[in-house]
Amino acid sequence: QLQLVESGGGLVQPGGSLRLSCAASGFTLDYYAIGWFRQAPGKEREGVSCISTVDGSTYYVSSVKGRFTISRDNAKNTVYLQMNSLKPEDTAVYYCAVGRALTVVAALYNYWGQGTQVTVSS
């Protein structure tokens, strides 16, 4: 069975950087995209970024463009989210997921990791 494990979350000051990792194992099918989502307390889950498992094409929501970078290491079956210039509003639990399209619509993602906490605070 497919398993996704996030890591790399933690506490960072505003303006700092953090790199999240999503390690995948147990694939039975090929999927088109791996995405990052986040959910802050009292707020709805929102998409952040995604990357094609086929050709590396990427997508970012406007709030993170220029600050976040998604990448992949196919040999390690791992997707990364490099987060720079972090803001307090980036504080959330971050989830990775495997989906069927290069979009961050949660309903199109079938498998989810357990989440990792990112806290941006002084």
Side-chain angles (χ1 to χ4, degrees):
Q1 57 184 1
L2 180 65
Q3 184 176 2
L4 302 173
V5 179
E6 301 98 330
S7 62
L11 175 65
V12 64
Q13 294 185 354
S17 298
L18 209 58
R19 189 180 76 163
L20 306 183
S21 299
C22 174
S25 63
F27 282 98
T28 58
L29 296 171
D30 291 331
Y31 289 86
Y32 184 74
I34 297 180
W36 286 98
F37 298 78
R38 65 188 182 186
Q39 187 166 20
K43 294 186 177 180
E44 297 180 351
R45 183 176 297 181
E46 64 173 343
V48 177
S49 180
C50 59
I51 186 167
S52 169
T53 62
V54 177
D55 63 7
S57 298
T58 59
Y59 170 81
Y60 303 89
V61 296
S62 60
S63 61
V64 306
K65 285 182 179 179
R67 299 191 299 121
F68 291 10
T69 302
I70 191 170
S71 62
R72 62 177 183 172
D73 186 335
N74 289 339
K76 296 182 178 180
N77 294 317
T78 300
V79 171
Y80 304 95
L81 185 67
Q82 178 67 46
M83 305 184 294
N84 299 326
S85 301
L86 283 163
K87 305 174 181 179
E89 51 263 46
D90 295 317
T91 295
V93 177
Y94 283 70
Y95 301 89
C96 68
V98 175
R100 303 191 299 274
L102 195 67
T103 179
V104 290
V105 176
L108 298 179
Y109 286 75
N110 303 111
Y111 301 96
W112 295 79
Q114 82 287 353
T116 185
Q117 177 71 48
V118 172
T119 302
V120 185
S121 176
S122 60

